[in-house]
Amino acid sequence: MSMSLSHTVGRLVERLTLEQKVAQLGGLNLPGLIRFDPRGGSALAVERVAEQRPHGVGHLSLGWFLGQDADSLRSALARVQQAVREASPFGIGGLVHFEGVNGFLHASGEQFPTAWAQAATWDPALVRSAARVTAAHMRDLGVHLVFAPVMDISRDPRWGRVHETYGEDPELAAQCAVAHVQGIQGGDGTGPGAEILATGKHFLGFGASEGGLNMATTQLGRRTLVDEYAEPFRRAIAEAGLSLVMNSYNDIDGIPAAANRWLLTEFLRGELGFDGLVVSDYESVGMLRTRYRTADSPGAAAAQAVTAGLDSELPEACDYPHLVDEVASGRLDEKVIDQAVARVLTIKARVGLVPSFRARPAADRTASPQPEAVAAAATREAIAERALVLLRNDGTLPFTGTLPRIAVTGPAAAELRIHFGAYTSAAASEMTAAIRAVRSGEVDGIDPRTFAAPDIVTAPLGQLQPRFEEMVRALHPDARTVLDALEAYGAPVTEVPLGSFTSRESIDAGRVSDLVADTDVIIAVVGERSGRVGGNTAGEGRSSTSPSLPGNQEELVEQLAATGKPVVTVVVSGRPLLLERVARASSALLLAPLLGEVAGSAIASVLLGATDPGGRLPATFPRHLGQVPAYHGHRHGSGYDHPTGDTYAYIDLDDQSPLFAFGHGLSYTLFDVHLTGDAEVTPEGTVRVSLTVSNTGDRDGETVVQLYARDEYASVVRPVRQLLAFQRLALTAGASKELVLEAPLERLCYTGADGHRALVAGAITLMAALSSADIRCTTSVQAPAVPSPR
């Protein structure tokens, strides 16, 4: 923080009353400002701001429920912001936040493939480009904070939120997270003039909840948390100037993250050097009372959270207003409040909400949105093209030359909705529509008189699925299903409607055989829906005991294979699924990791050979549920890979390896990698490996060269393999390219037996690979001791 900004904020805090300070720490629920009239209309009652928050407002929450288009949203936010300034001391404005995991979460926002899909590209530049578009849209509308990226490491496919993450590996997730923050904030984001700021979430270990259940306890040791799960946050803070952090919902060793002083203050601010604002995930302060039972009153919950280092309560101020009484009674030192308020006002000053510091420059309303739309479309298509992962292929793909007669089947073949994740405009609009349908008595089995809105997440809403499909088609009128896209390419396709997402009813083998009799090859499009409401099997709050294809889809693929015709299976999913039966029955297997509105066209392009499948897995696919968690960077003596050969194995599993390894992905051509010199550690502390990469096939294509490292001996048990660097590159048929992969030696630092992070001098094995299970060449270096700066 600059001296002038620090001085301005300090003086401002001194001038606020205790009530005004506390008001800056809470949010205001924007849908609560809407007035409904008996005839069905509604209006934004901005006068309620002064009534509900007479001492000021910290954050403006849930703005995505306002406005049906960009102009109406911009107008609504501007009106509320003016009312906030008029009601608040010294004209201080309110921080407006929006979700932005894979695009601006609003009907008017550009949507991109999910974060998991972005990670599957192994191309951080594309992540940065998508985030840049998202930031531009939000800035134009009067938004200040982007609640993204999700930096959780996800290694348990039972958890429904895997698709919001960048996968299982700390290095891949860190590079994607840094790129996202840079795209939002611009450059390194550390300057006080940044107008829109990124929020890293969820701190910490959220993706490792016990049993894959959302919000459950996290059973991880502190060393694992510090060295692996915190790595994306560490890097985003150091390399991109991350401005905000959001707490996670879980508890760690019995202490909820929202009330964990070691986590939010000692570790985050102390060891990681974070100096920004920490905001609560929605209702996590109240959960200290209602869920975790560490507080017996709102005041106690608020005191626990703010003392731990949680600066703001969201979405609205429910418990934090009781901080006034906590201070007045002597149970809480007002200096704790002052510290939190200073952080809030610092962020507000940076984005132009503190008049005495800097006026926020007006957005240029005359600029054409066309360049942004063009950039969004190009980025969206590039991500989708490079995210499709060819898992298996016996030579059936691609379809080239004279196209075969194709039967297209599976419940996902003619559906658009399945390609969208939970934090998209499609999913967000469903929640509002579902609540309206229930309250109007349209949903069987739910009494609208006793219905509570939060129950919409778990309510059975299968009968609304056709309506949800219509809604997503209205939002994206130019989008194509896989069936539509194949037809648009001129492929000779026949639709064969078979399979169900919900029914387990057995499929008649004779009928299947008859329906595909006049075709040469079968494309089965299967998968699971991800979202917040309705018939979704993945999404926030939707964990599963066995992450498998729902309904009778597995049986469908097996019945199709039994006809003797080649079966190409396209799996639409935002997380690893148990696919051994499906893989065994498929001639080719293609993963489409929630690509959004361009999914159908991207899939058809790969199937027909117009583009090369460019994706590589950001997560391990286990063979069996009993292997979970299965991830490539497990420690010596654990997991499935044992360089020493000293291990135990599952006695009822013939093959201990994953079904598909982290980093795996096939191309329509072949690649080779070999060393072109000795690896070295430069005087500046950089590990450097020189390689030659060759396209040895007869088609142009792209590959991802991956560099892994193993610390052979250490004072604590280390991973058998650690991703150190990677690079995506395109090569024409028969071409070769010299490539240097390098990384700071510091990335190999770990928390030693003495509790300090460092790297002990010793031998490091380096492995150049095309996946974590496809090591092409190995070398080693002698690493000097390295103390970590953090």
Side-chain angles (χ1 to χ4, degrees):
M1 188 193 314
S2 68
M3 291 299 294
S4 60
L5 177 55
S6 177
H7 178 74
T8 298
V9 168
R11 291 290 302 274
L12 186 53
V13 172
E14 292 175 356
R15 299 172 66 186
L16 297 177
T17 67
L18 176 59
E19 289 78 8
Q20 291 170 339
K21 293 176 186 177
V22 170
Q24 289 297 316
L25 306 184
L28 173 65
N29 185 352
L30 291 183
L33 302 179
I34 299 175
R35 179 187 294 114
F36 297 93
D37 66 51
R39 293 168 293 183
S42 63
L44 188 62
V46 294
E47 66 275 7
R48 290 182 177 177
V49 171
E51 298 169 4
Q52 296 179 16
R53 296 291 186 269
H55 301 295
V57 177
H59 295 251
L60 301 176
S61 306
L62 298 165
W64 43 90
F65 288 105
L66 303 183
Q68 299 302 310
D69 54 33
D71 289 339
S72 60
L73 176 61
R74 183 188 298 110
S75 175
L77 290 177
R79 290 176 59 203
V80 173
Q81 192 67 259
Q82 181 61 34
V84 168
R85 288 186 180 276
E86 292 173 356
S88 298
F90 311 110
I92 302 170
L95 289 163
V96 179
H97 61 253
F98 267 70
E99 297 285 352
V101 175
N102 37 247
F104 177 29
L105 187 64
H106 189 264
S108 67
E110 297 284 357
Q111 306 296 293
F112 296 96
T114 58
W116 203 62
Q118 292 177 37
T121 69
W122 289 61
D123 190 346
L126 288 175
V127 179
R128 187 179 299 108
S129 295
R132 193 173 290 134
V133 172
T134 298
H137 286 174
M138 292 194 185
R139 184 184 301 112
D140 173 67
L141 295 168
V143 179
H144 313 103
L145 310 178
V146 181
F147 277 2
V150 173
M151 300 185 186
D152 297 307
I153 301 299
S154 58
R155 293 173 172 174
D156 192 332
R158 293 173 296 179
W159 190 46
R161 301 186 70 173
V162 171
H163 70 284
E164 300 175 39
T165 77
Y166 296 123
E168 73 175 45
D169 184 81
E171 181 62 30
L172 178 59
Q175 291 203 33
C176 290
V178 167
H180 191 119
V181 174
Q182 290 173 337
I184 294 296
Q185 299 186 168
D188 63 4
T190 58
E195 293 181 0
I196 189 161
L197 306 175
T199 307
K201 59 185 190 180
H202 309 85
F203 202 73
L204 187 62
F206 189 35
S209 55
E210 187 174 67
L213 289 170
N214 202 45
M215 302 186 185
T217 189
T218 294
Q219 301 283 15
L220 294 177
R222 188 166 289 190
R223 181 172 284 103
T224 301
L225 285 166
V226 168
D227 292 344
E228 298 177 36
Y229 284 76
E231 182 66 11
F233 293 90
R234 176 184 284 107
R235 298 271 289 281
I237 292 166
E239 298 175 22
L242 179 67
S243 299
L244 291 94
V245 164
M246 177 184 286
N247 74 280
S248 53
Y249 282 121
N250 55 317
D251 78 83
I252 299 171
D253 196 25
I255 309 297
N260 194 323
R261 183 168 176 79
W262 168 78
L263 186 68
L264 301 182
T265 297
E266 296 174 25
F267 179 45
L268 178 61
R269 296 193 182 278
E271 184 172 337
L272 299 188
F274 179 71
D275 64 357
L277 182 67
V278 179
V279 298
S280 82
D281 205 342
Y282 277 17
E283 300 176 2
S284 60
V285 177
M287 288 180 187
L288 299 177
R289 296 180 286 110
T290 62
R291 183 179 183 88
Y292 297 109
R293 314 287 283 179
T294 62
D296 60 3
S297 68
Q304 284 182 15
V306 76
T307 301
L310 193 62
D311 301 314
S312 297
E313 181 187 15
L314 301 175
E316 56 185 326
C318 295
D319 293 74
Y320 269 31
H322 295 271
L323 289 172
V324 173
D325 293 335
E326 293 297 304
V327 172
S329 66
R331 292 188 294 270
L332 181 67
D333 191 331
E334 189 170 352
K335 291 180 181 179
V336 176
I337 306 297
D338 291 348
Q339 192 172 43
V341 174
R343 293 170 183 150
V344 171
L345 293 179
T346 297
I347 292 295
K348 288 192 172 187
R350 285 181 61 186
V351 299
L353 292 173
V354 179
S356 59
F357 177 71
R358 181 177 64 87
R360 181 182 175 89
D364 182 5
R365 307 299 184 207
T366 63
S368 170
Q370 187 63 23
E372 285 177 13
V374 171
T379 300
R380 189 162 45 238
E381 291 167 5
I383 292 172
E385 177 183 315
R386 290 166 174 81
L388 282 159
V389 185
L390 184 60
L391 298 172
R392 184 184 179 198
N393 187 22
D394 66 359
T396 298
L397 289 180
F399 304 139
T400 56
T402 301
L403 294 175
R405 296 171 299 168
I406 303 171
V408 181
T409 188
E415 181 173 307
L416 196 61
R417 170 61 183 85
I418 193 171
H419 298 289
F420 290 80
Y423 275 84
T424 58
S425 57
S429 62
E430 290 169 358
M431 182 169 290
T432 302
I435 292 174
R436 287 174 179 165
V438 170
R439 285 180 170 165
S440 63
E442 297 178 52
V443 179
D444 297 338
I446 300 179
D447 186 346
R449 295 169 299 180
T450 59
F451 172 74
D455 295 339
I456 199 67
V457 175
T458 56
L461 302 169
Q463 69 191 82
L464 295 181
Q465 194 58 49
R467 183 178 305 180
F468 294 160
E469 178 70 10
E470 293 172 4
M471 289 167 58
V472 76
R473 288 172 184 258
L475 277 170
H476 303 285
D478 297 327
R480 291 171 173 165
T481 66
V482 174
L483 177 63
D484 291 339
L486 287 168
E487 291 176 336
Y489 268 96
V493 299
T494 300
E495 182 181 9
V496 178
L498 289 170
S500 171
F501 293 121
T502 56
S503 173
R504 294 184 178 273
E505 183 178 348
S506 183
I507 299 172
D508 181 78
R511 181 168 180 263
V512 171
S513 182
D514 290 342
L515 287 172
V516 302
D518 296 329
T519 58
D520 302 312
V521 67
I522 302 166
I523 297 175
V525 190
V526 298
E528 66 172 349
R529 296 190 185 108
S530 300
R532 299 294 302 277
V533 299
N536 302 300
T537 52
E540 185 169 357
R542 295 189 173 272
S543 299
S544 50
T545 59
S546 180
S548 307
L549 290 172
N552 58 14
Q553 297 180 92
E554 284 187 349
E555 182 190 354
L556 170 63
V557 176
E558 290 177 330
Q559 293 277 23
L560 293 169
T563 67
K565 297 180 185 294
V567 178
V568 175
T569 304
V570 178
V571 177
V572 182
S573 175
R575 60 175 173 170
L577 297 177
L578 301 172
L579 295 176
E580 188 165 36
R581 287 174 57 188
V582 171
R584 192 184 306 120
S586 302
S587 298
L589 187 61
L590 182 70
L591 174 68
L594 301 186
L595 305 178
E597 64 193 274
V598 294
S601 298
I603 292 167
S605 180
V606 165
L607 294 176
L608 299 176
T611 54
D612 194 54
R616 301 297 182 264
L617 288 179
T620 301
F621 278 54
R623 292 182 184 277
H624 192 279
L625 181 63
Q627 292 176 294
V628 172
Y631 54 98
H632 84 92
H634 60 80
R635 292 196 173 108
H636 283 278
S638 300
Y640 65 87
D641 192 8
H642 305 277
T644 65
D646 179 18
T647 184
Y648 288 94
Y650 293 108
I651 61 172
D652 54 354
L653 197 61
D654 293 334
D655 190 338
Q656 305 291 316
S657 67
L659 183 62
F660 301 112
F662 172 81
H664 170 71
L666 302 176
S667 173
Y668 289 150
T669 187
L670 298 173
F671 293 93
D672 195 18
V673 180
H674 65 268
L675 294 166
T676 54
D678 294 333
E680 63 174 337
V681 177
T682 69
E684 296 76 26
T686 298
V687 178
R688 182 171 294 155
V689 180
S690 298
L691 304 165
T692 297
V693 185
S694 302
N695 181 341
T696 60
D698 57 4
R699 288 176 57 103
D700 299 349
E702 295 189 21
T703 190
V704 177
V705 183
Q706 303 156 38
L707 180 64
Y708 295 91
R710 178 166 59 242
D711 193 347
E712 292 295 351
Y713 292 94
S715 61
V716 298
V717 183
R718 299 288 292 130
V720 298
R721 178 189 311 104
Q722 179 178 339
L723 182 64
L724 193 60
F726 57 87
Q727 185 169 325
R728 186 183 186 96
L729 73 162
L731 288 174
T732 57
S736 297
K737 183 176 182 178
E738 301 297 315
L739 176 66
V740 175
L741 289 180
E742 60 183 19
L745 198 60
E746 179 189 321
R747 290 185 185 170
L748 295 174
C749 288
Y750 60 92
T751 304
D754 61 359
H756 295 97
R757 273 178 59 84
L759 177 65
V760 178
I764 302 294
T765 297
L766 299 169
M767 298 160 278
L770 295 181
S771 85
S772 61
D774 186 8
I775 307 298
R776 295 302 179 96
C777 48
T778 302
T779 187
S780 64
V781 294
Q782 287 294 318
V786 177
S788 175
R790 291 291 181 196

